[in-house]
Every structure is written in structure tokens, then in C-alpha cells.
Amino acid sequence: EVQLLESGGGLVQPGVSLRLSCAASGLTFNRYTMNWVRQAPGKGLEWVSGISARGDRTYYADSVKGRFTISRDNSKNTLYLQMNSLRVEDTAVYYCAKDMAWNLGYGMDVWGQGTTVTVSS
Amino acid sequence: QSALTQPPSVSGSPGQSVTISCTGTSSDVGSYNRVSWYQQPPGTAPKLMIYEVSNRPSGVPDRFSGSKSGSTASLTINGLQAEDEADYYCSSYTSGSTVVFGGGTKLTVL
């Protein structure tokens, strides 16, 4: 069974850093682009970032560019999101999602259960 | 990176058909066939229902279909069932090498 399991969320103050992880199992991890998608409380989905199958290309939404860094370790089947200078508006459930192809945007067919990040003073 | 435009809500009775629109621009929906649709019941993770405009992943009922004309994509659900009640989101690849979602549409089965 293909599974994605996020971890690393929590309650933090504005301005601090947090790193999310997503452990993949049941798939050939290094064949697919991976994404982070977030959903603020009561709001819609927002794509945050993507990374190519080999990790050589990264993509970011304007809202997080310069503050968040996506990375992956294909030897550990794990995706990461380093979040710096966190803001109140970054509060959301963060989902890890697998793209259907080695390239970005073809459709996200496997999703994790999400990890909650709350930024509050 | 403006969100794609979806109607906030649609509704239909069991057995009827509904269509949800998703309007973008020439920088996203209008230029790429990388349009997807997701279903999200309350409190759950999204589920892929349509990819590359009109393709259904394995296990998705053929009551669900997708299409595109110009910069507007559409999801049609035929033979509505109570279990179809959920939020639906479209997404598209963009010329900026990003992905953009629609604002979401709440489907109510009357």
C-alpha cells in the first residue's frame, strides 16, 4: 500500500523555524515529483512547493518564496519542508502529495493525512 | 499566481447531473492540459478525481468526467449520489512553473 506520513507540525511563535517531514512507503519514491500543499482553517487548498524526482529542480509559491525550502532524500524516501520566518498566515494543515509523473502538475494522486502548523504568539 | 475561479457552491438532487466550472487564464488552464480535480469530504485529505483534463484514476466512477474549453475547465458529475457531497477543487500547472488551485466548490446533494 502506498503511504505518505507527515510529521513535524506544532504550535510555534511568529518568526521561528520549523521543519516538516514526509515519509513515503510502498512506491518508487525517486521516480516522482513531490509537493507540499496547505489548507488554512476553513479555507481552500494552496499549493506551497514542489521538487523534481531527482531533487534538482524546486518550485515555490510566491507566498513562501525566500522563506521555505523544499528538499528530499531519495535514499530515505523522505520529503522535507524547512519553514523559516513563520508568520501567523502560515497557520494551516500541511499535506505532502505525490505527483503522478516525474514532472510538476500532472495531478497529485497520493496524499498524506496532513500535519498541523499553528503560528501564534 | 491568482487562484482559479470556481463557483462557491452547487447543488443537485440524487440522480441529477451537476457541472462545476474552473476559470483560469492563458497562463494556466488556457495553455496546459495539466488540469486536475480533487474531492475533499469534511475532515479528510483531498482525493484525485480527474487528471490531465479528462482522465480518471483507477477506482474513480465513470460518473465523473472532465473537459476543457479555452481557459475554462469543467467537472461533470452524472447520477448524483449522497456520497458525492464534498468540496471540489480544480488545479492547473502555470507558465511560472507552479501549480494553482481554485477556491473550491461545495457540492450539496439535496
Side-chain angles (χ1 to χ4, degrees), chain B residues 35-61:
Chain B
V35 175
S36 305
W37 289 91
Y38 301 87
Q39 177 192 64
Q40 187 181 33
T44 70
K47 174 186 176 183
L48 180 66
M49 305 301 284
I50 297 288
Y51 65 97
E52 292 184 68
V53 176
S54 59
N55 296 297
R56 278 187 312 276
S58 174
V60 172

Side-chain angles (χ1 to χ4, degrees), chain B residues 14-105:
Chain B
Q16 288 187 333
S17 297
V18 295
T19 296
I20 300 172
S21 61
C22 170
T23 301
T25 69
S26 58
S27 297
D28 39 64
V29 177
S31 290
Y32 302 95
N33 286 328
R34 300 188 212 178
V35 175
S36 305
W37 289 91
Y38 301 87
Q39 177 192 64
Q40 187 181 33
T44 70
K47 174 186 176 183
L48 180 66
M49 305 301 284
I50 297 288
Y51 65 97
E52 292 184 68
V53 176
S54 59
N55 296 297
R56 278 187 312 276
S58 174
V60 172
D62 60 6
R63 302 184 294 104
F64 291 84
S65 63
S67 62
K68 189 183 86 165
S69 177
S71 296
T72 299
S74 298
L75 173 71
T76 298
I77 309 172
N78 294 314
L80 265 181
Q81 300 182 2
E83 67 204 49
D84 299 333
E85 188 161 288
D87 292 328
Y88 289 83
Y89 296 90
C90 61
S91 75
S92 175
Y93 180 74
T94 80
S95 60
S97 295
T98 64
V99 173
V100 62
F101 280 95
T105 298

Side-chain angles (χ1 to χ4, degrees), chain A residues 57 61 68:
Chain A
R57 285 168 291 162
F68 290 10

Side-chain angles (χ1 to χ4, degrees), chain A residues 98-113:
Chain A
K98 165 192 164 291
D99 227 287
M100 294 191 72
W102 59 271
N103 213 338
L104 184 70
Y106 282 92
M108 297 174 233
D109 62 339
V110 182
W111 294 66
Q113 86 293 342

